[in-house]
Amino acid sequence: MTAPPLIHKRVQRLMGNRFELSVVSPDPCWANQRLDAAVAEISRIERLLTTYSDDSQTNQINAHAGIRPIQVGPEVFALIERSLRLSALTQGAFDITYGSLDKRLWNFDTTMTALPDPKTARRMVQLINYRNVVLDADQRTVFLREKGMRIGFGGIGKGYAAEQAKRVLRESGVESGIVNAAGDLTTWGTQPTGKAWTIGIADPNRANHQAFSYLAISNMAVATSGSYEKYALIDGRRYAHTIDPKTGYPVSGLKSVTIIAPNAELADALATPVMVMGVRVGLDLINQMRHIACIIIDDTDTLYTSTNIRIKTPATV
């Protein structure tokens, strides 16, 4: 008798985040071999993009900022090209040169007791400008014009890794699954029951991230950026971890932005800039994009959605 298909899961810390990978198969051994390959793929991408290793391609680019171009692999070059297009589309609300703003200015991992020095913030912000990233497609080189500039893939890397893990799984025969990269997730196929996957959107007012709404999706990706994830309490005011690249200070007014898109890289890359842009400008951008949807919750708990979303119980796109 043929065994029924089940969901096989792997939870692992990768790229500094909690990844959860799920595949549907009747064979647990076969499923675990595929999960091993997907984890290996995410680890490979982490080595390419990390800023915690001196010899990563990212750090080589940063180390030679203002000095000379660095030749990189086609994968990193293409990811930077796409990042720069998103930077232009969002008028710098998404900017891969945000790397000059690091833990020396804002450290949301420890208890901050005072706001950062405004002069230091202004100096660091001056180095953020995606227009100063020079690409040479023929030589496949990347050059940062200003010394001290740094690029980083914190706003797009998890989504990219999730999509690449999905690609590896699908190429090896996995017909249904989810790759969840700390809330940036991509889905394909269906649950063992044949129904679409049910994705919960975290309630920003609940510490345990209990869902306030659900989406039934397949072959789509979801990413959420929220002020509740990491923040500092200074003089009784909460400062969230999403930084406006133009000011160097945290954005305010929004608790949560959820993007629904065809792939996790795009969903991941759009969540932060919509947080920076705010309700009106952010929704205006999303409403002009095909096959992209957005759910926003502001600080007064008012819910806003793009024009292509119908809220029901559960919510559906």
Side-chain angles (χ1 to χ4, degrees):
M1 190 172 73
T2 304
L6 298 171
I7 299 174
H8 305 276
K9 289 191 177 184
R10 178 78 55 85
V11 177
Q12 194 157 334
R13 192 162 182 82
L14 298 156
M15 303 179 77
N17 291 277
R18 181 182 186 275
F19 275 67
E20 182 174 310
L21 298 88
S22 304
V23 302
V24 176
S25 170
D27 185 342
C29 181
W30 183 89
N32 276 311
Q33 289 174 350
R34 271 68 193 165
L35 288 168
D36 287 344
V39 168
E41 173 67 1
I42 296 168
S43 298
R44 182 189 68 80
I45 292 167
E46 181 176 10
R47 289 191 294 274
L48 275 182
L49 305 184
T50 182
T51 56
Y52 292 97
S53 171
D54 289 342
D55 58 359
S56 74
Q57 294 188 23
T58 306
N59 267 350
Q60 287 299 303
I61 294 167
N62 291 338
H64 292 86
I67 301 172
R68 66 178 175 85
I70 293 296
Q71 189 172 54
V72 298
E75 187 176 5
V76 170
F77 190 88
L79 185 58
I80 293 174
E81 274 190 319
R82 295 197 296 277
S83 297
L84 293 180
R85 283 200 293 271
L86 280 165
S87 297
L89 178 69
T90 61
Q91 299 180 348
F94 172 90
D95 195 320
I96 63 164
T97 64
Y98 79 96
S100 60
L101 285 179
D102 57 21
K103 290 185 176 180
R104 290 172 297 173
L105 188 67
W106 289 95
N107 186 351
F108 297 102
D109 295 334
T110 60
T111 302
M112 291 182 66
T113 57
L115 291 172
D117 170 46
K119 287 184 178 178
T120 304
R122 282 197 295 273
R123 178 173 53 78
M124 289 184 172
V125 165
Q126 288 173 359
L127 291 171
I128 301 175
N129 189 348
Y130 66 93
R131 298 176 186 84
N132 284 332
V133 180
V134 182
L135 301 184
D136 184 329
D138 293 333
Q139 300 298 319
R140 210 190 322 118
T141 60
V142 184
F143 177 53
L144 308 183
R145 285 199 177 103
E146 302 287 339
K147 281 194 173 180
M149 279 183 70
R150 293 172 60 84
I151 62 170
F153 295 95
I156 195 171
K158 281 194 286 115
Y160 175 69
E163 281 303 321
Q164 292 307 302
K166 171 185 169 182
R167 177 187 56 77
V168 165
L169 289 167
R170 295 192 72 173
E171 287 178 355
S172 64
V174 177
E175 296 180 352
S176 298
I178 299 178
V179 179
N180 184 349
D184 301 338
L185 60 88
T186 183
T187 68
W188 72 104
T190 62
Q191 300 181 62
T193 59
K195 294 182 178 178
W197 296 101
T198 302
I199 305 301
I201 298 177
D203 185 336
N205 294 316
R206 294 176 185 266
N208 61 2
H209 293 187
Q210 183 178 337
F212 84 92
S213 187
Y214 294 91
L215 300 170
I217 63 172
S218 181
N219 302 312
M220 293 291 283
V222 178
T224 298
S225 181
S227 64
Y228 54 91
E229 293 166 335
K230 286 192 292 185
Y231 58 87
L233 277 173
I234 301 172
D235 295 332
R237 181 176 174 183
R238 189 167 72 167
Y239 293 88
H241 76 288
T242 303
I243 304 293
D244 185 338
K246 291 184 173 62
T247 66
Y249 277 75
V251 299
S252 60
L254 301 185
K255 286 182 178 176
S256 169
V257 171
T258 297
I259 301 289
I260 302 115
N263 72 76
E265 177 186 319
L266 185 58
D268 186 11
L270 285 173
T272 297
V274 171
M275 197 96 184
V276 172
M277 291 171 162
V279 174
R280 184 180 62 80
V281 178
L283 285 180
D284 185 54
L285 171 70
I286 298 301
N287 284 333
Q288 296 179 58
M289 302 177 74
R290 296 182 63 190
H291 308 306
I292 311 289
C294 179
I295 300 169
I296 299 174
I297 302 172
D298 71 9
D299 279 348
T300 65
D301 291 331
T302 303
L303 185 73
Y304 303 86
T305 69
S306 53
T307 55
N308 52 358
I309 282 190
R310 289 175 290 116
I311 297 291
K312 295 195 287 187
T313 306
T316 58
V317 178

